[in-house]
Amino acid sequence: MPIPIIQLIAVAGSLLFLFVVLWSVRQKKLKEAYALLWLFTGVVILFFSIWPRSLRLISELIGIVYPPATFFLLLLAGIILILFQYALLLSRNQEKISRMAQEIALLKNELEKLRKNK
């Protein structure tokens, strides 16, 4: 049985996505810690592109009649995880920025005191 053209396009798109992620890491445009989540996403999409029957099986197991709806549900869950990861990162960076701003203010204050004492 010949492979449907849409399946070939999906596999090619998944491989392209994985290549772009790996290339971005290699070019130091994407850190390895963030790349893991994107690589996992790409592998899941590639898996479903190569074996679309697995998506039907998962759909049946969770009670969803239309397999593409399951795929979009999984994509939505992945996007929510990515957003949560970025929210944690933003929170951590905000704390660092506040701490550094306070340290700079203290250093400026010390510098002004030293200049006045001269």
Side-chain angles (χ1 to χ4, degrees), residues 1-99:
M1 179 168 89
I3 299 174
I5 190 74
I6 190 70
Q7 187 176 0
L8 291 174
I9 292 171
V11 169
S14 302
L15 290 172
L16 179 65
F17 178 76
L18 287 170
F19 173 77
V20 168
V21 171
L22 291 172
W23 182 79
S24 296
V25 171
R26 188 174 173 144
Q27 298 295 318
K28 306 273 188 219
K29 293 181 180 183
L30 181 63
K31 291 191 177 195
E32 293 86 2
Y34 309 127
L36 291 176
L37 193 54
W38 291 112
L39 286 172
F40 177 74
T41 302
V43 168
V44 168
I45 293 171
L46 180 63
F47 176 80
F48 288 132
S49 298
I50 294 173
W51 294 287
R53 291 178 194 252
S54 61
L55 189 59
R56 284 190 203 111
L57 177 67
I58 292 172
S59 296
E60 290 172 6
L61 287 174
I62 60 176
I64 297 177
V65 178
Y66 188 55
T70 303
F71 184 69
F72 285 116
L73 177 67
L74 293 173
L75 285 177
L76 180 63
I79 289 170
I80 289 171
L81 287 174
I82 290 169
L83 287 173
F84 183 70
Q85 179 190 15
Y86 286 136
L88 291 175
L89 180 69
L90 284 172
S91 297
R92 216 174 313 132
N93 285 342
Q94 183 61 40
E95 289 175 20
K96 287 179 183 179
I97 289 170
S98 295
R99 207 172 315 120

